[in-house]
Amino acid sequence: MQDTNAEQPWDVVVVGAGPAGATAARHAALGGARVLLLDKATFPRYKTCGGGIIGQSRRRLNDRALATIEADLPEVGFSHRMGRVTRVRTEAPFVAMVDRERFDQANVDAAKEAGVVFRDGANVRALSDEDGHTRLTLADGDELVARVVIGADGSGGRVGRHVGAVMAVTDLGLEVEVPRRPEDAATGVLLDWGPHPGTYAWVFPKTETLTVGVIEQKGHADQTRRYLDDWIERLGLHPTDQDRSSGHLTQWRTSDSPLRRGTVVLAGETAGLLEPWTREGISFALRSGEWAGTAAAAYTAGDRTALDRYESQVRAELVPEIDAGAQLLRVFTRFPAGFHFLISKTPFGRGYFIRFCRGETTLARAFRHRWVRKVTAWLA
């Protein structure tokens, strides 16, 4: 393993080894940079996440990550307040499922294959600017120096605080994984538009488990827990103490939240890059991670405009999707029953949802139509 001594500055240090961080590290190494990838957890590690892979994500997966796909699903069921389920089925699959523990490990392994040095159990406690470089102090007292730092250490991460990232909304997701029963063999994705503003629940089937969860804006923990309990009961499931149960905060950025401070840049959830309506974040993590890693390698090779271009690319391609999702969430929050009818009962709504999942369109593309902007502005 390469020396991680502070006397030998790294070209790029990536903090956080989820999809954004591992992807950033791999692309920085492929660009010729000397890269260190850090994560405070010990890998492999469990991660609260439904594990849905839409088309925007799938197109960017490396071979190792692609191999972790457990199911390709052609069916989704919709319900409102745990009522009658309306199922939509297509001839070809439109969403894939992964187990995040295996998926994240695969992305780390792909980064290592590209030449990245990976160090888990490494908790970054402080960052400081130093003569055009960044010094990172770890919890064990070790210090590292980097020409570029990429922050991908998640909600409330140390690097995000250093840059000054500001989040518009933070949600609490609660989840349990239960063994998949024989009668669940043909189950597709199941989504329930919940009883409280902006909430929804899901069932994502994997090879051996069902990932069952709910999400709601942070600040209603007891209410969110009751929603999960009611959802589990509605499904007829019986989790035990041995089943994985976890929670996670998801967040998205304000319109003016910074993406960079000097040569410290943010990617993925640390930057608040998340689609607010569905709370889908993996595609944002993969795209921003790839761009950040490529830009970091170019910067360390002498291209002093590379990090500026990264910021511009995120603002041009990802921020419009976030803005559209936030607008859609405001309408969904006010009219969940109407949304349920549109998506589950109308050919337009069903078709757009499937095309969105396949990566054939985006919410931002829909908002390019004047009538969509006018209608959503009026309803919100």
Side-chain angles (χ1 to χ4, degrees):
M1 178 176 291
Q2 299 179 42
D3 184 11
T4 60
N5 190 288
E7 299 305 317
Q8 298 181 359
W10 292 88
D11 290 330
V12 181
V13 171
V14 182
V15 183
T23 300
R26 183 168 68 92
H27 279 274
L30 291 173
R34 179 171 173 265
V35 185
L36 175 65
L37 174 62
L38 306 173
D39 199 285
K40 65 181 179 182
T42 301
F43 272 55
R45 58 94 173 94
Y46 180 71
K47 167 76 173 180
T48 304
C49 178
I53 300 294
I54 63 174
Q56 286 280 8
S57 300
R58 189 165 189 157
R59 287 196 292 269
R60 289 171 172 81
L61 295 183
N62 60 76
D63 290 342
R64 281 185 171 272
L66 277 170
T68 68
I69 290 177
E70 298 189 11
D72 273 316
L73 302 176
E75 181 178 308
V76 59
F78 299 104
S79 63
H80 179 226
R81 296 193 173 190
M82 292 181 276
R84 182 178 178 180
V85 176
T86 300
R87 297 193 180 274
V88 177
R89 187 174 181 85
T90 62
E91 291 185 2
F94 57 87
V95 64
M97 295 289 133
V98 296
D99 171 79
R100 280 295 301 272
E101 184 171 333
R102 294 180 58 234
F103 179 74
D104 288 2
Q105 184 64 56
N107 281 304
V108 168
D109 291 342
K112 290 164 66 177
E113 281 185 353
V116 173
V117 175
F118 177 53
R119 180 175 170 185
D120 58 0
N123 190 8
V124 175
R125 284 290 181 85
L127 297 92
S128 59
D129 302 324
E130 185 177 286
D131 298 328
H133 295 68
T134 300
R135 182 174 293 272
L136 302 94
T137 303
L138 307 186
D140 62 5
D142 280 0
E143 293 189 338
L144 308 165
V145 174
R147 294 182 174 89
V148 176
V149 172
I150 299 175
D153 47 343
S155 302
R158 179 72 61 180
V159 186
R161 294 199 299 273
H162 174 80
V163 171
V166 180
M167 299 299 125
V169 176
T170 301
D171 287 327
L172 171 63
L174 298 178
E175 192 173 84
V176 62
E177 287 202 358
V178 300
R180 188 167 176 172
R181 306 163 300 185
E183 58 266 34
D184 297 320
T187 301
V189 173
L190 187 58
L191 302 174
D192 177 73
W193 314 121
H196 310 295
T199 61
Y200 80 92
W202 61 85
V203 178
F204 284 175
K206 315 292 174 56
T207 301
E208 298 180 351
T209 62
L210 297 176
T211 303
V212 181
V214 301
I215 198 162
E216 182 170 9
Q217 188 168 331
K218 182 184 175 184
H220 312 279
D222 291 341
Q223 179 173 279
T224 308
R225 170 56 64 182
R226 284 195 299 273
Y227 184 25
L228 177 60
D229 291 342
D230 291 343
W231 180 231
I232 290 171
E233 182 178 355
R234 168 70 174 79
L235 297 169
L237 302 175
H238 304 283
T240 69
D241 291 339
Q242 284 71 47
D243 296 322
R244 281 174 164 169
S245 179
S246 60
H248 180 65
L249 297 179
T250 63
Q251 55 190 14
W252 64 90
R253 65 195 300 279
T254 62
S255 59
D256 58 351
S257 181
L259 294 165
R260 172 185 166 201
R261 174 179 168 180
T263 57
V264 180
V265 299
L266 304 180
E269 194 176 59
T270 306
L273 301 176
L274 179 84
E275 194 279 288
W277 178 51
T278 62
R279 280 76 158 195
E280 192 279 321
I282 292 178
S283 72
F284 288 80
L286 295 174
R287 284 177 284 179
S288 62
E290 177 182 330
W291 302 339
T294 301
Y299 181 89
T300 61
D303 182 353
R304 291 297 180 259
T305 66
L307 300 183
D308 296 327
R309 291 200 304 274
Y310 168 70
E311 290 185 277
S312 297
Q313 190 167 17
V314 169
R315 296 186 191 282
E317 298 188 38
L318 299 186
V319 170
E321 294 186 32
I322 297 170
D323 292 343
Q327 181 77 346
L328 202 60
L329 178 62
R330 286 190 286 270
V331 178
F332 168 65
T333 297
R334 293 189 63 188
F335 304 102
F339 251 82
H340 173 62
F341 179 83
L342 176 68
I343 292 176
S344 64
K345 305 293 186 181
T346 71
F348 171 81
R350 293 196 301 265
Y352 207 92
F353 182 84
I354 298 302
R355 289 177 59 217
F356 170 79
C357 289
R358 284 185 177 146
E360 297 170 354
T361 190
T362 66
L363 298 180
R365 193 172 301 166
F367 273 75
R368 293 174 188 168
H369 298 286
R370 180 185 296 181
W371 69 270
V372 173
R373 295 196 302 271
K374 284 187 174 181
V375 169
T376 52
W378 178 68
L379 291 175

